[in-house]
Amino acid sequence: MQIFKTCLTSSQLMTILGGFTGSILFIFLLTAVGNLEKTLFGSSFQTQLKEVGLCLVVSMVASASVHRVCASTCLIFSMLMIWTLNRISQEVYSAGGQVSQVKKKKN
């Protein structure tokens, strides 16, 4: 992000794009931390809130080094992305599936 700092601070739209880039960094960091934890602690280990917070702070600091507005838009985009990841995870890995019941008629 530092390489494109002059480009990302040139206009308001590019500053928002810088925040979106920071949120992509957040997702990559969170994926890397989650994979590392699963490798070290076993496949049943889940990423907890403190790891999510740490990845969010790192990505916001990287975005803030470009522009302050990039940091705030990074927070907004990251919250939207983590909410979307949570919904996808709930749909794919939910334990309770829907069971359809068939009622038979009595003759």
Side-chain angles (χ1 to χ4, degrees):
M1 290 176 68
Q2 287 294 320
I3 295 172
F4 298 108
K5 183 176 182 175
T6 55
C7 181
L8 290 174
T9 58
S10 63
S11 69
Q12 291 178 351
L13 187 60
M14 292 301 287
T15 306
I16 293 172
L17 182 66
F20 182 74
T21 306
S23 67
I24 297 294
L25 175 66
F26 165 70
I27 294 298
F28 285 153
L29 283 172
L30 189 61
T31 303
V33 168
N35 287 339
L36 179 67
E37 287 177 340
K38 283 196 180 285
T39 302
L40 294 177
F41 303 125
S43 62
S44 63
F45 194 83
Q46 293 181 353
T47 304
Q48 299 172 353
L49 186 60
K50 58 186 172 186
E51 289 92 358
V52 174
L54 177 70
C55 293
L56 182 61
V57 167
V58 169
S59 65
M60 285 183 64
V61 166
S63 296
S65 67
V66 173
H67 196 279
R68 289 183 300 181
V69 176
C70 287
S72 55
T73 55
C74 173
L75 175 68
I76 294 168
F77 284 126
S78 296
M79 290 296 112
L80 288 172
M81 286 187 179
I82 199 71
W83 177 72
T84 305
L85 282 176
N86 186 29
R87 283 191 51 212
I88 292 170
S89 176
Q90 291 298 322
E91 289 175 6
V92 172
Y93 297 111
S94 66
Q98 294 188 9
V99 178
S100 61
Q101 295 179 354
V102 178
K103 293 184 180 181
K104 293 184 179 181
K105 290 184 180 180
K106 293 184 179 181
N107 291 341

